Amino acid sequence: MDVQSYMPVQPGVGMEENFLSLDDILLSQERLPCRTETTFPRLGFLEKSSDTRDIPEGSKMEMPLWLAKGLYERKRRVLSVELPKVYREGWRTVFSADPTVVDLHKMGPYYYGLGSQLLHFQNPENPEIAQAVLQTFIGRFRRTMDSAQNAYNEDTSALVEPLDSLERALFRVGQGGLNAFQRWETGSASRLTASSLVLNYRKRKITDLQD
């Protein structure tokens, strides 16, 4: 019997998070440039470049996403979060011109996820960031799926390399669909199976009838 030691859990959508997802756990470790808006007493040891006991107001440092979200408050200004360079106006212009030429994985493996999480922090550029992330996804989606559907029994490492983690997941889905179709077309598939959505619908229908 084929038993998986780990059943993959899908990451959250948009600003939501799923803490059972390995992708979301790794995303929460992404570091953000921050500026302290108040003194952090007895936390000077966190700043390696300083020998002071406290972290003074106005200090610039990098924090993981999970810590920045935990400390950030809209009413009481404890810290402010600066935009990573890939979300600033200069890079947004590049993405708007041709998003397919950018190596998203090199710029940050969680471009879409981190961009969505940045909307938790008050920033006048939030509408532009949200639009840039959405349009980048739309602009790259067709090419990603075309690549997945036209790469059968060949090395796909060069196709996958520049993709963000979300795009890589979509690429794997596309490859899975292509391989399943090829097996069915050649008669090597034993039988067609219903999708999980259909199976779940049938289960709910049976349960409703029993009730």
mmCIF file of all heavy atoms in Angstrom, residues 136-185:
data_model
loop_
_atom_site.group_PDB
_atom_site.id
_atom_site.type_symbol
_atom_site.label_atom_id
_atom_site.label_comp_id
_atom_site.label_asym_id
_atom_site.label_seq_id
_atom_site.Cartn_x
_atom_site.Cartn_y
_atom_site.Cartn_z
ATOM 1 N N THR A 136 1.103 41.138 -12.369
ATOM 2 C CA THR A 136 2.258 40.270 -12.622
ATOM 3 C C THR A 136 1.821 38.820 -12.721
ATOM 4 O O THR A 136 2.261 38.077 -13.615
ATOM 5 C CB THR A 136 3.303 40.431 -11.500
ATOM 6 O OG1 THR A 136 3.759 41.787 -11.471
ATOM 7 C CG2 THR A 136 4.492 39.509 -11.717
ATOM 8 N N PHE A 137 0.943 38.408 -11.817
ATOM 9 C CA PHE A 137 0.440 37.029 -11.858
ATOM 10 C C PHE A 137 -0.320 36.764 -13.156
ATOM 11 O O PHE A 137 -0.105 35.748 -13.820
ATOM 12 C CB PHE A 137 -0.470 36.767 -10.660
ATOM 13 C CG PHE A 137 -1.068 35.389 -10.649
ATOM 14 C CD1 PHE A 137 -0.329 34.301 -10.215
ATOM 15 C CD2 PHE A 137 -2.359 35.179 -11.100
ATOM 16 C CE1 PHE A 137 -0.870 33.025 -10.232
ATOM 17 C CE2 PHE A 137 -2.919 33.913 -11.116
ATOM 18 C CZ PHE A 137 -2.167 32.833 -10.675
ATOM 19 N N ILE A 138 -1.193 37.700 -13.534
ATOM 20 C CA ILE A 138 -1.970 37.541 -14.765
ATOM 21 C C ILE A 138 -1.041 37.485 -15.982
ATOM 22 O O ILE A 138 -1.212 36.655 -16.883
ATOM 23 C CB ILE A 138 -2.981 38.699 -14.915
ATOM 24 C CG1 ILE A 138 -4.052 38.610 -13.820
ATOM 25 C CG2 ILE A 138 -3.641 38.676 -16.299
ATOM 26 C CD1 ILE A 138 -4.987 39.799 -13.775
ATOM 27 N N GLY A 139 -0.026 38.365 -15.990
ATOM 28 C CA GLY A 139 0.875 38.434 -17.126
ATOM 29 C C GLY A 139 1.752 37.208 -17.297
ATOM 30 O O GLY A 139 2.197 36.897 -18.403
ATOM 31 N N ARG A 140 2.016 36.487 -16.194
ATOM 32 C CA ARG A 140 2.905 35.324 -16.251
ATOM 33 C C ARG A 140 2.152 33.993 -16.258
ATOM 34 O O ARG A 140 2.737 32.953 -16.572
ATOM 35 C CB ARG A 140 3.852 35.354 -15.044
ATOM 36 C CG ARG A 140 4.867 36.474 -15.100
ATOM 37 C CD ARG A 140 5.576 36.655 -13.755
ATOM 38 N NE ARG A 140 6.316 35.478 -13.340
ATOM 39 C CZ ARG A 140 7.627 35.308 -13.534
ATOM 40 N NH1 ARG A 140 8.330 36.243 -14.157
ATOM 41 N NH2 ARG A 140 8.234 34.221 -13.109
ATOM 42 N N PHE A 141 0.869 34.017 -15.921
ATOM 43 C CA PHE A 141 0.118 32.771 -15.737
ATOM 44 C C PHE A 141 0.063 31.937 -17.016
ATOM 45 O O PHE A 141 0.345 30.727 -16.998
ATOM 46 C CB PHE A 141 -1.298 33.084 -15.245
ATOM 47 C CG PHE A 141 -2.168 31.865 -15.124
ATOM 48 C CD1 PHE A 141 -2.016 30.997 -14.059
ATOM 49 C CD2 PHE A 141 -3.128 31.586 -16.079
ATOM 50 C CE1 PHE A 141 -2.818 29.864 -13.943
ATOM 51 C CE2 PHE A 141 -3.929 30.457 -15.975
ATOM 52 C CZ PHE A 141 -3.775 29.602 -14.904
ATOM 53 N N ARG A 142 -0.306 32.566 -18.127
ATOM 54 C CA ARG A 142 -0.468 31.803 -19.363
ATOM 55 C C ARG A 142 0.844 31.160 -19.797
ATOM 56 O O ARG A 142 0.866 29.997 -20.215
ATOM 57 C CB ARG A 142 -1.001 32.713 -20.470
ATOM 58 C CG ARG A 142 -1.229 31.965 -21.784
ATOM 59 C CD ARG A 142 -1.983 32.791 -22.794
ATOM 60 N NE ARG A 142 -2.239 32.037 -24.000
ATOM 61 C CZ ARG A 142 -2.960 32.470 -25.019
ATOM 62 N NH1 ARG A 142 -3.508 33.677 -24.949
ATOM 63 N NH2 ARG A 142 -3.135 31.718 -26.077
ATOM 64 N N ARG A 143 1.938 31.908 -19.676
ATOM 65 C CA ARG A 143 3.231 31.352 -20.074
ATOM 66 C C ARG A 143 3.615 30.177 -19.179
ATOM 67 O O ARG A 143 4.159 29.174 -19.652
ATOM 68 C CB ARG A 143 4.299 32.441 -20.018
ATOM 69 C CG ARG A 143 5.668 31.976 -20.472
ATOM 70 C CD ARG A 143 6.638 33.123 -20.579
ATOM 71 N NE ARG A 143 7.957 32.679 -20.978
ATOM 72 C CZ ARG A 143 8.977 33.494 -21.208
ATOM 73 N NH1 ARG A 143 8.812 34.796 -21.106
ATOM 74 N NH2 ARG A 143 10.152 33.022 -21.559
ATOM 75 N N THR A 144 3.326 30.312 -17.892
ATOM 76 C CA THR A 144 3.638 29.224 -16.956
ATOM 77 C C THR A 144 2.880 27.954 -17.315
ATOM 78 O O THR A 144 3.451 26.859 -17.386
ATOM 79 C CB THR A 144 3.292 29.646 -15.511
ATOM 80 O OG1 THR A 144 4.056 30.788 -15.143
ATOM 81 C CG2 THR A 144 3.583 28.518 -14.531
ATOM 82 N N MET A 145 1.581 28.085 -17.579
ATOM 83 C CA MET A 145 0.771 26.915 -17.886
ATOM 84 C C MET A 145 1.077 26.372 -19.277
ATOM 85 O O MET A 145 1.048 25.146 -19.494
ATOM 86 C CB MET A 145 -0.715 27.244 -17.755
ATOM 87 C CG MET A 145 -1.120 27.677 -16.352
ATOM 88 S SD MET A 145 -0.528 26.568 -15.040
ATOM 89 C CE MET A 145 -1.442 25.067 -15.374
ATOM 90 N N ASP A 146 1.382 27.250 -20.234
ATOM 91 C CA ASP A 146 1.786 26.784 -21.559
ATOM 92 C C ASP A 146 3.063 25.944 -21.461
ATOM 93 O O ASP A 146 3.188 24.903 -22.121
ATOM 94 C CB ASP A 146 2.014 27.963 -22.501
ATOM 95 C CG ASP A 146 0.714 28.550 -23.031
ATOM 96 O OD1 ASP A 146 -0.337 27.897 -22.854
ATOM 97 O OD2 ASP A 146 0.742 29.652 -23.607
ATOM 98 N N SER A 147 4.008 26.417 -20.653
ATOM 99 C CA SER A 147 5.251 25.669 -20.476
ATOM 100 C C SER A 147 4.986 24.306 -19.854
ATOM 101 O O SER A 147 5.571 23.292 -20.255
ATOM 102 C CB SER A 147 6.215 26.466 -19.587
ATOM 103 O OG SER A 147 6.549 27.706 -20.168
ATOM 104 N N ALA A 148 4.076 24.263 -18.861
ATOM 105 C CA ALA A 148 3.756 23.003 -18.190
ATOM 106 C C ALA A 148 3.075 22.031 -19.138
ATOM 107 O O ALA A 148 3.307 20.804 -19.070
ATOM 108 C CB ALA A 148 2.864 23.265 -16.978
ATOM 109 N N GLN A 149 2.245 22.548 -20.024
ATOM 110 C CA GLN A 149 1.468 21.685 -20.922
ATOM 111 C C GLN A 149 2.260 21.225 -22.147
ATOM 112 O O GLN A 149 1.821 20.305 -22.853
ATOM 113 C CB GLN A 149 0.210 22.411 -21.391
ATOM 114 C CG GLN A 149 -0.811 22.675 -20.291
ATOM 115 C CD GLN A 149 -1.444 21.391 -19.762
ATOM 116 O OE1 GLN A 149 -2.056 20.633 -20.511
ATOM 117 N NE2 GLN A 149 -1.259 21.140 -18.484
ATOM 118 N N ASN A 150 3.406 21.849 -22.414
ATOM 119 C CA ASN A 150 4.176 21.505 -23.615
ATOM 120 C C ASN A 150 5.524 20.866 -23.296
ATOM 121 O O ASN A 150 6.343 20.691 -24.203
ATOM 122 C CB ASN A 150 4.403 22.754 -24.470
ATOM 123 C CG ASN A 150 3.113 23.247 -25.116
ATOM 124 O OD1 ASN A 150 2.538 22.583 -25.968
ATOM 125 N ND2 ASN A 150 2.650 24.409 -24.682
ATOM 126 N N ALA A 151 5.745 20.537 -22.041
ATOM 127 C CA ALA A 151 7.003 19.888 -21.647
ATOM 128 C C ALA A 151 6.697 18.477 -21.166
ATOM 129 O O ALA A 151 6.434 18.251 -19.985
ATOM 130 C CB ALA A 151 7.690 20.698 -20.547
ATOM 131 N N TYR A 152 6.698 17.526 -22.101
ATOM 132 C CA TYR A 152 6.373 16.140 -21.759
ATOM 133 C C TYR A 152 7.616 15.273 -21.879
ATOM 134 O O TYR A 152 8.285 15.260 -22.917
ATOM 135 C CB TYR A 152 5.277 15.608 -22.686
ATOM 136 C CG TYR A 152 4.846 14.192 -22.356
ATOM 137 C CD1 TYR A 152 4.242 13.907 -21.138
ATOM 138 C CD2 TYR A 152 5.056 13.154 -23.259
ATOM 139 C CE1 TYR A 152 3.844 12.623 -20.818
ATOM 140 C CE2 TYR A 152 4.667 11.866 -22.960
ATOM 141 C CZ TYR A 152 4.058 11.604 -21.738
ATOM 142 O OH TYR A 152 3.675 10.320 -21.427
ATOM 143 N N ASN A 153 7.932 14.582 -20.799
ATOM 144 C CA ASN A 153 9.100 13.688 -20.770
ATOM 145 C C ASN A 153 10.393 14.426 -21.124
ATOM 146 O O ASN A 153 11.199 13.953 -21.929
ATOM 147 C CB ASN A 153 8.907 12.502 -21.722
ATOM 148 C CG ASN A 153 8.024 11.426 -21.114
ATOM 149 O OD1 ASN A 153 7.806 11.390 -19.903
ATOM 150 N ND2 ASN A 153 7.504 10.555 -21.956
ATOM 151 N N GLU A 154 10.575 15.591 -20.547
ATOM 152 C CA GLU A 154 11.813 16.332 -20.775
ATOM 153 C C GLU A 154 12.209 17.067 -19.506
ATOM 154 O O GLU A 154 11.422 17.207 -18.568
ATOM 155 C CB GLU A 154 11.655 17.324 -21.923
ATOM 156 C CG GLU A 154 10.580 18.375 -21.701
ATOM 157 C CD GLU A 154 10.436 19.310 -22.897
ATOM 158 O OE1 GLU A 154 9.794 18.897 -23.891
ATOM 159 O OE2 GLU A 154 10.986 20.432 -22.841
ATOM 160 N N ASP A 155 13.454 17.515 -19.468
ATOM 161 C CA ASP A 155 13.974 18.225 -18.303
ATOM 162 C C ASP A 155 13.312 19.604 -18.209
ATOM 163 O O ASP A 155 13.413 20.420 -19.129
ATOM 164 C CB ASP A 155 15.493 18.368 -18.425
ATOM 165 C CG ASP A 155 16.109 19.030 -17.209
ATOM 166 O OD1 ASP A 155 15.404 19.170 -16.187
ATOM 167 O OD2 ASP A 155 17.288 19.418 -17.268
ATOM 168 N N THR A 156 12.641 19.865 -17.092
ATOM 169 C CA THR A 156 11.918 21.134 -16.926
ATOM 170 C C THR A 156 12.611 22.090 -15.959
ATOM 171 O O THR A 156 12.040 23.106 -15.591
ATOM 172 C CB THR A 156 10.484 20.865 -16.410
ATOM 173 O OG1 THR A 156 10.563 20.182 -15.138
ATOM 174 C CG2 THR A 156 9.706 20.013 -17.399
ATOM 175 N N SER A 157 13.841 21.763 -15.555
ATOM 176 C CA SER A 157 14.520 22.583 -14.541
ATOM 177 C C SER A 157 14.700 24.026 -15.007
ATOM 178 O O SER A 157 14.545 24.974 -14.219
ATOM 179 C CB SER A 157 15.876 21.973 -14.187
ATOM 180 O OG SER A 157 16.673 21.814 -15.349
ATOM 181 N N ALA A 158 15.023 24.226 -16.300
ATOM 182 C CA ALA A 158 15.203 25.593 -16.804
ATOM 183 C C ALA A 158 13.888 26.357 -16.835
ATOM 184 O O ALA A 158 13.868 27.578 -16.658
ATOM 185 C CB ALA A 158 15.819 25.552 -18.211
ATOM 186 N N LEU A 159 12.771 25.662 -17.044
ATOM 187 C CA LEU A 159 11.460 26.315 -17.058
ATOM 188 C C LEU A 159 11.011 26.703 -15.659
ATOM 189 O O LEU A 159 10.364 27.733 -15.460
ATOM 190 C CB LEU A 159 10.423 25.380 -17.692
ATOM 191 C CG LEU A 159 10.642 24.977 -19.153
ATOM 192 C CD1 LEU A 159 9.624 23.914 -19.569
ATOM 193 C CD2 LEU A 159 10.549 26.191 -20.067
ATOM 194 N N VAL A 160 11.359 25.874 -14.682
ATOM 195 C CA VAL A 160 10.900 26.082 -13.310
ATOM 196 C C VAL A 160 11.768 27.086 -12.561
ATOM 197 O O VAL A 160 11.285 27.794 -11.673
ATOM 198 C CB VAL A 160 10.875 24.729 -12.558
ATOM 199 C CG1 VAL A 160 10.577 24.929 -11.076
ATOM 200 C CG2 VAL A 160 9.846 23.803 -13.184
ATOM 201 N N GLU A 161 13.029 27.183 -12.935
ATOM 202 C CA GLU A 161 13.994 27.984 -12.178
ATOM 203 C C GLU A 161 13.549 29.418 -11.903
ATOM 204 O O GLU A 161 13.696 29.909 -10.777
ATOM 205 C CB GLU A 161 15.347 27.982 -12.902
ATOM 206 C CG GLU A 161 16.440 28.687 -12.122
ATOM 207 C CD GLU A 161 17.781 28.610 -12.840
ATOM 208 O OE1 GLU A 161 17.847 28.006 -13.929
ATOM 209 O OE2 GLU A 161 18.758 29.168 -12.307
ATOM 210 N N PRO A 162 13.003 30.163 -12.870
ATOM 211 C CA PRO A 162 12.654 31.566 -12.586
ATOM 212 C C PRO A 162 11.285 31.764 -11.948
ATOM 213 O O PRO A 162 10.842 32.901 -11.783
ATOM 214 C CB PRO A 162 12.683 32.208 -13.982
ATOM 215 C CG PRO A 162 12.266 31.102 -14.896
ATOM 216 C CD PRO A 162 12.807 29.843 -14.300
ATOM 217 N N LEU A 163 10.608 30.691 -11.571
ATOM 218 C CA LEU A 163 9.243 30.803 -11.080
ATOM 219 C C LEU A 163 9.194 31.021 -9.574
ATOM 220 O O LEU A 163 10.001 30.468 -8.817
ATOM 221 C CB LEU A 163 8.436 29.546 -11.441
ATOM 222 C CG LEU A 163 8.332 29.183 -12.922
ATOM 223 C CD1 LEU A 163 7.461 27.943 -13.097
ATOM 224 C CD2 LEU A 163 7.770 30.350 -13.727
ATOM 225 N N ASP A 164 8.226 31.798 -9.142
ATOM 226 C CA ASP A 164 7.883 31.966 -7.726
ATOM 227 C C ASP A 164 7.300 30.656 -7.203
ATOM 228 O O ASP A 164 6.908 29.782 -7.978
ATOM 229 C CB ASP A 164 6.884 33.123 -7.631
ATOM 230 C CG ASP A 164 6.038 33.103 -6.387
ATOM 231 O OD1 ASP A 164 4.989 32.424 -6.421
ATOM 232 O OD2 ASP A 164 6.396 33.745 -5.410
ATOM 233 N N SER A 165 7.241 30.489 -5.893
ATOM 234 C CA SER A 165 6.759 29.230 -5.307
ATOM 235 C C SER A 165 5.324 28.920 -5.731
ATOM 236 O O SER A 165 4.977 27.754 -5.979
ATOM 237 C CB SER A 165 6.845 29.279 -3.785
ATOM 238 O OG SER A 165 6.012 30.303 -3.256
ATOM 239 N N LEU A 166 4.460 29.941 -5.823
ATOM 240 C CA LEU A 166 3.088 29.720 -6.267
ATOM 241 C C LEU A 166 3.070 29.246 -7.719
ATOM 242 O O LEU A 166 2.333 28.315 -8.070
ATOM 243 C CB LEU A 166 2.277 31.012 -6.120
ATOM 244 C CG LEU A 166 0.860 31.000 -6.699
ATOM 245 C CD1 LEU A 166 0.002 29.929 -6.028
ATOM 246 C CD2 LEU A 166 0.212 32.373 -6.551
ATOM 247 N N GLU A 167 3.889 29.863 -8.560
ATOM 248 C CA GLU A 167 3.954 29.461 -9.963
ATOM 249 C C GLU A 167 4.498 28.050 -10.105
ATOM 250 O O GLU A 167 4.070 27.296 -10.985
ATOM 251 C CB GLU A 167 4.820 30.454 -10.738
ATOM 252 C CG GLU A 167 4.203 31.839 -10.836
ATOM 253 C CD GLU A 167 5.152 32.856 -11.449
ATOM 254 O OE1 GLU A 167 6.384 32.634 -11.376
ATOM 255 O OE2 GLU A 167 4.672 33.860 -12.000
ATOM 256 N N ARG A 168 5.428 27.673 -9.249
ATOM 257 C CA ARG A 168 5.965 26.308 -9.295
ATOM 258 C C ARG A 168 4.884 25.288 -8.947
ATOM 259 O O ARG A 168 4.826 24.208 -9.547
ATOM 260 C CB ARG A 168 7.157 26.171 -8.348
ATOM 261 C CG ARG A 168 8.382 26.953 -8.801
ATOM 262 C CD ARG A 168 9.599 26.691 -7.943
ATOM 263 N NE ARG A 168 10.767 27.387 -8.480
ATOM 264 C CZ ARG A 168 12.023 27.154 -8.104
ATOM 265 N NH1 ARG A 168 12.261 26.242 -7.160
ATOM 266 N NH2 ARG A 168 13.036 27.813 -8.647
ATOM 267 N N ALA A 169 4.045 25.638 -7.984
ATOM 268 C CA ALA A 169 2.939 24.741 -7.636
ATOM 269 C C ALA A 169 1.972 24.604 -8.810
ATOM 270 O O ALA A 169 1.506 23.499 -9.123
ATOM 271 C CB ALA A 169 2.206 25.266 -6.399
ATOM 272 N N LEU A 170 1.675 25.724 -9.485
ATOM 273 C CA LEU A 170 0.803 25.676 -10.660
ATOM 274 C C LEU A 170 1.441 24.871 -11.789
ATOM 275 O O LEU A 170 0.762 24.132 -12.504
ATOM 276 C CB LEU A 170 0.495 27.097 -11.145
ATOM 277 C CG LEU A 170 -0.378 27.951 -10.226
ATOM 278 C CD1 LEU A 170 -0.426 29.388 -10.727
ATOM 279 C CD2 LEU A 170 -1.779 27.370 -10.134
ATOM 280 N N PHE A 171 2.740 25.006 -11.941
ATOM 281 C CA PHE A 171 3.460 24.249 -12.967
ATOM 282 C C PHE A 171 3.340 22.742 -12.693
ATOM 283 O O PHE A 171 3.117 21.956 -13.626
ATOM 284 C CB PHE A 171 4.931 24.667 -12.992
ATOM 285 C CG PHE A 171 5.729 24.074 -14.117
ATOM 286 C CD1 PHE A 171 5.836 24.738 -15.325
ATOM 287 C CD2 PHE A 171 6.376 22.858 -13.964
ATOM 288 C CE1 PHE A 171 6.569 24.198 -16.378
ATOM 289 C CE2 PHE A 171 7.104 22.305 -14.997
ATOM 290 C CZ PHE A 171 7.209 22.989 -16.216
ATOM 291 N N ARG A 172 3.479 22.355 -11.433
ATOM 292 C CA ARG A 172 3.358 20.929 -11.085
ATOM 293 C C ARG A 172 1.947 20.420 -11.370
ATOM 294 O O ARG A 172 1.772 19.287 -11.831
ATOM 295 C CB ARG A 172 3.720 20.712 -9.612
ATOM 296 C CG ARG A 172 5.198 20.868 -9.302
ATOM 297 C CD ARG A 172 5.532 20.345 -7.921
ATOM 298 N NE ARG A 172 4.882 21.089 -6.869
ATOM 299 C CZ ARG A 172 5.410 22.166 -6.276
ATOM 300 N NH1 ARG A 172 6.599 22.610 -6.656
ATOM 301 N NH2 ARG A 172 4.764 22.790 -5.311
ATOM 302 N N VAL A 173 0.944 21.246 -11.091
ATOM 303 C CA VAL A 173 -0.435 20.860 -11.399
ATOM 304 C C VAL A 173 -0.609 20.664 -12.901
ATOM 305 O O VAL A 173 -1.216 19.686 -13.361
ATOM 306 C CB VAL A 173 -1.428 21.919 -10.879
ATOM 307 C CG1 VAL A 173 -2.837 21.637 -11.383
ATOM 308 C CG2 VAL A 173 -1.422 21.956 -9.348
ATOM 309 N N GLY A 174 -0.078 21.605 -13.686
ATOM 310 C CA GLY A 174 -0.166 21.489 -15.139
ATOM 311 C C GLY A 174 0.541 20.255 -15.655
ATOM 312 O O GLY A 174 0.036 19.555 -16.541
ATOM 313 N N GLN A 175 1.714 19.964 -15.103
ATOM 314 C CA GLN A 175 2.452 18.765 -15.500
ATOM 315 C C GLN A 175 1.696 17.492 -15.122
ATOM 316 O O GLN A 175 1.650 16.524 -15.894
ATOM 317 C CB GLN A 175 3.826 18.752 -14.827
ATOM 318 C CG GLN A 175 4.832 19.674 -15.482
ATOM 319 C CD GLN A 175 5.584 19.012 -16.620
ATOM 320 O OE1 GLN A 175 6.515 18.267 -16.395
ATOM 321 N NE2 GLN A 175 5.169 19.300 -17.844
ATOM 322 N N GLY A 176 1.071 17.512 -13.943
ATOM 323 C CA GLY A 176 0.293 16.346 -13.522
ATOM 324 C C GLY A 176 -0.875 16.086 -14.453
ATOM 325 O O GLY A 176 -1.158 14.937 -14.807
ATOM 326 N N GLY A 177 -1.552 17.166 -14.868
ATOM 327 C CA GLY A 177 -2.667 17.016 -15.809
ATOM 328 C C GLY A 177 -2.199 16.499 -17.159
ATOM 329 O O GLY A 177 -2.849 15.643 -17.772
ATOM 330 N N LEU A 178 -1.053 17.017 -17.636
ATOM 331 C CA LEU A 178 -0.510 16.572 -18.921
ATOM 332 C C LEU A 178 -0.138 15.089 -18.875
ATOM 333 O O LEU A 178 -0.474 14.323 -19.791
ATOM 334 C CB LEU A 178 0.720 17.412 -19.271
ATOM 335 C CG LEU A 178 1.509 16.973 -20.516
ATOM 336 C CD1 LEU A 178 0.643 17.093 -21.771
ATOM 337 C CD2 LEU A 178 2.791 17.794 -20.663
ATOM 338 N N ASN A 179 0.540 14.683 -17.801
ATOM 339 C CA ASN A 179 0.951 13.284 -17.692
ATOM 340 C C ASN A 179 -0.251 12.357 -17.586
ATOM 341 O O ASN A 179 -0.260 11.262 -18.174
ATOM 342 C CB ASN A 179 1.862 13.099 -16.472
ATOM 343 C CG ASN A 179 3.203 13.792 -16.645
ATOM 344 O OD1 ASN A 179 3.688 13.953 -17.768
ATOM 345 N ND2 ASN A 179 3.802 14.209 -15.548
ATOM 346 N N ALA A 180 -1.283 12.789 -16.848
ATOM 347 C CA ALA A 180 -2.495 11.969 -16.725
ATOM 348 C C ALA A 180 -3.180 11.823 -18.069
ATOM 349 O O ALA A 180 -3.658 10.736 -18.438
ATOM 350 C CB ALA A 180 -3.443 12.585 -15.702
ATOM 351 N N PHE A 181 -3.223 12.907 -18.842
ATOM 352 C CA PHE A 181 -3.852 12.845 -20.169
ATOM 353 C C PHE A 181 -3.064 11.931 -21.107
ATOM 354 O O PHE A 181 -3.648 11.147 -21.872
ATOM 355 C CB PHE A 181 -3.945 14.252 -20.772
ATOM 356 C CG PHE A 181 -4.466 14.259 -22.183
ATOM 357 C CD1 PHE A 181 -5.817 14.061 -22.441
ATOM 358 C CD2 PHE A 181 -3.597 14.445 -23.258
ATOM 359 C CE1 PHE A 181 -6.301 14.051 -23.748
ATOM 360 C CE2 PHE A 181 -4.075 14.431 -24.562
ATOM 361 C CZ PHE A 181 -5.428 14.239 -24.805
ATOM 362 N N GLN A 182 -1.735 12.025 -21.064
ATOM 363 C CA GLN A 182 -0.912 11.185 -21.932
ATOM 364 C C GLN A 182 -1.082 9.704 -21.583
ATOM 365 O O GLN A 182 -1.142 8.852 -22.479
ATOM 366 C CB GLN A 182 0.565 11.593 -21.807
ATOM 367 C CG GLN A 182 0.889 12.976 -22.345
ATOM 368 C CD GLN A 182 0.746 13.071 -23.852
ATOM 369 O OE1 GLN A 182 0.737 12.058 -24.548
ATOM 370 N NE2 GLN A 182 0.622 14.288 -24.373
ATOM 371 N N ARG A 183 -1.195 9.393 -20.309
ATOM 372 C CA ARG A 183 -1.402 7.992 -19.908
ATOM 373 C C ARG A 183 -2.760 7.498 -20.391
ATOM 374 O O ARG A 183 -2.900 6.366 -20.846
ATOM 375 C CB ARG A 183 -1.300 7.852 -18.382
ATOM 376 C CG ARG A 183 0.110 8.008 -17.843
ATOM 377 C CD ARG A 183 0.204 7.497 -16.415
ATOM 378 N NE ARG A 183 -0.724 8.180 -15.516
ATOM 379 C CZ ARG A 183 -0.448 9.285 -14.854
ATOM 380 N NH1 ARG A 183 0.757 9.859 -14.999
ATOM 381 N NH2 ARG A 183 -1.324 9.850 -14.056
ATOM 382 N N TRP A 184 -3.767 8.370 -20.275
ATOM 383 C CA TRP A 184 -5.104 7.976 -20.742
ATOM 384 C C TRP A 184 -5.127 7.803 -22.255
ATOM 385 O O TRP A 184 -5.695 6.854 -22.783
ATOM 386 C CB TRP A 184 -6.122 9.041 -20.330
ATOM 387 C CG TRP A 184 -7.475 8.820 -20.939
ATOM 388 C CD1 TRP A 184 -8.430 7.945 -20.540
ATOM 389 C CD2 TRP A 184 -8.006 9.488 -22.096
ATOM 390 N NE1 TRP A 184 -9.529 8.023 -21.361
ATOM 391 C CE2 TRP A 184 -9.295 8.957 -22.327
ATOM 392 C CE3 TRP A 184 -7.518 10.474 -22.944
ATOM 393 C CZ2 TRP A 184 -10.094 9.388 -23.374
ATOM 394 C CZ3 TRP A 184 -8.306 10.903 -23.982
ATOM 395 C CH2 TRP A 184 -9.588 10.362 -24.198
ATOM 396 N N GLU A 185 -4.469 8.730 -22.973
ATOM 397 C CA GLU A 185 -4.484 8.690 -24.433
ATOM 398 C C GLU A 185 -3.794 7.438 -24.983
ATOM 399 O O GLU A 185 -4.207 6.887 -26.001
ATOM 400 C CB GLU A 185 -3.807 9.948 -24.989
ATOM 401 C CG GLU A 185 -3.993 10.138 -26.487
ATOM 402 C CD GLU A 185 -3.402 11.448 -26.967
ATOM 403 O OE1 GLU A 185 -2.295 11.800 -26.502
ATOM 404 O OE2 GLU A 185 -4.039 12.133 -27.783
#
